[in-house]
Amino acid sequence: AGPVSQARVEAVLAELSTQWPTRDVEITIQPPPPQVNNATVYFVDVPGAKQSLLRVGLLAMSANDPDYFRLSYANERFGGSSNGRLFQRLRVEKGYTSEATSHLTNGIETVAWIARTSVRSDVTIESLKLLNELIRTYATTFTEEDVTLTKSQVLKRKARTVEPLQAKLELLGRMSQLGLAPEVLRQQQEILLAMNLEDFREIIETYLDANRMVYVVVGDARTLLARMSELGYGEPVLLDIYGRRR
């Protein structure tokens, strides 16, 4: 990406074919990660922590799934920007945090949807309950206004996101990684513009199931662990800082 001709690039890379010989490589096929059928809470103890780090999410689909872009658009009004419900409720309304976002991770075989924030330790339980409420009610409270705002915000942002050279390079890399067509930006726009209220609600109901979410809390166990069961998902699983059960 930059002021360089295709001929110059090909000439520079031509020697790779002779100086970097190919060889057969056997790639081990990894089984897909197991799906979680019941919401689970994991707690990592950091004694005396004044803040709690919260992650809530679940495995969604392959990045090549036709619903991938639809879910990313449905996420926009939840936590895709500062106008999303997550930021507006946790930051603007409650003042629990300075940042709250949600997104789909990058990947090929399986991507995860994750909501993330860090809050004051004394409002950890309240923040988790609010997160749970937002997820549970997101589909039924998604409105025609949300459809309009989503399309407006995404289209305006996409018009700028590929302007920097780095963004162009990242787009080319993702096209190569996932085998996307050169017309991928136009295709994404067509998918977005074709979505109506029922489409948004269906995608949210299909993938953002609160009863299958994994909750990860990093904070002070002495003051918080006993209250984790208030979420209604049973006793939390206590982990050390390496993710091992304690």
Side-chain angles (χ1 to χ4, degrees):
V4 59
S5 68
Q6 179 176 341
R8 181 184 174 192
V9 172
E10 291 178 343
V12 171
L13 298 179
E15 293 184 359
L16 285 179
S17 61
T18 57
Q19 297 186 10
W20 194 356
T22 61
R23 61 187 178 88
D24 293 333
V25 176
E26 182 178 346
I27 299 177
T28 302
I29 304 301
Q30 298 293 328
Q35 288 287 348
V36 176
N37 296 318
N38 298 294
T40 307
V41 180
Y42 295 92
F43 195 99
V44 179
D45 183 24
V46 179
K50 302 303 181 185
Q51 283 191 319
S52 295
L53 184 147
L54 311 180
R55 298 288 186 271
V56 181
L58 78 177
L59 298 177
M61 78 279 280
S62 163
N64 284 316
D65 192 293
D67 281 344
Y68 175 83
F69 291 117
R70 294 183 178 89
L71 182 57
S72 70
Y73 299 144
N75 173 70
E76 179 71 19
R77 294 293 292 153
F78 188 88
S81 70
S82 60
N83 292 326
R85 300 182 186 189
L86 196 57
F87 186 88
Q88 289 295 311
R89 293 294 300 279
L90 285 173
R91 173 66 178 96
V92 177
E93 179 182 322
K94 299 293 186 180
Y96 290 166
T97 182
S98 59
E99 182 182 16
T101 63
S102 61
H103 66 283
L104 285 173
T105 60
N106 290 322
I108 300 177
E109 297 299 329
T110 307
V111 300
W113 177 85
I114 299 176
R116 53 192 295 162
T117 187
S118 295
V119 300
R120 302 193 322 266
S121 182
D122 62 329
V123 294
T124 299
I125 307 301
E126 291 74 14
S127 299
L128 287 169
K129 289 179 178 179
L130 180 54
L131 254 169
N132 184 271
E133 174 197 339
L134 289 173
I135 295 170
R136 286 187 177 279
T137 61
Y138 189 40
T140 55
T141 58
F142 203 92
T143 65
E144 289 286 0
E145 181 182 7
D146 289 318
V147 175
T148 301
L149 288 172
T150 296
K151 293 182 177 182
S152 175
Q153 289 177 185
V154 172
L155 291 175
K156 288 178 180 177
R157 186 168 63 245
K158 282 189 176 295
R160 303 189 306 269
T161 52
V162 293
E163 288 181 358
L165 292 179
Q166 180 64 33
K168 290 180 172 64
L169 199 62
E170 290 173 356
L171 174 61
L172 290 173
R174 190 156 180 79
M175 289 169 60
S176 175
Q177 180 188 32
L178 300 178
L180 301 176
E183 302 82 19
V184 61
L185 294 181
R186 177 176 55 79
Q187 292 171 349
Q188 291 178 24
Q189 179 172 306
E190 291 173 351
I191 291 172
L192 174 63
L193 293 176
M195 292 180 70
N196 56 32
L197 179 59
E198 289 70 27
D199 294 326
F200 278 98
R201 288 182 171 177
E202 181 182 3
I203 286 294
I204 295 167
E205 290 174 349
T206 299
Y207 294 103
L208 302 188
D209 183 353
N211 293 321
R212 291 178 44 240
M213 293 285 169
V214 173
Y215 292 76
V216 179
V217 182
V218 181
D220 180 32
R222 185 182 64 82
T223 57
L224 297 173
L225 193 59
R227 295 190 60 195
M228 285 294 121
S229 59
E230 293 181 24
L231 291 174
Y233 298 129
E235 293 299 319
V237 179
L238 191 58
L239 306 175
D240 65 17
I241 60 173
Y242 302 103
R244 299 174 301 202
R245 291 176 183 256
R246 294 179 55 180

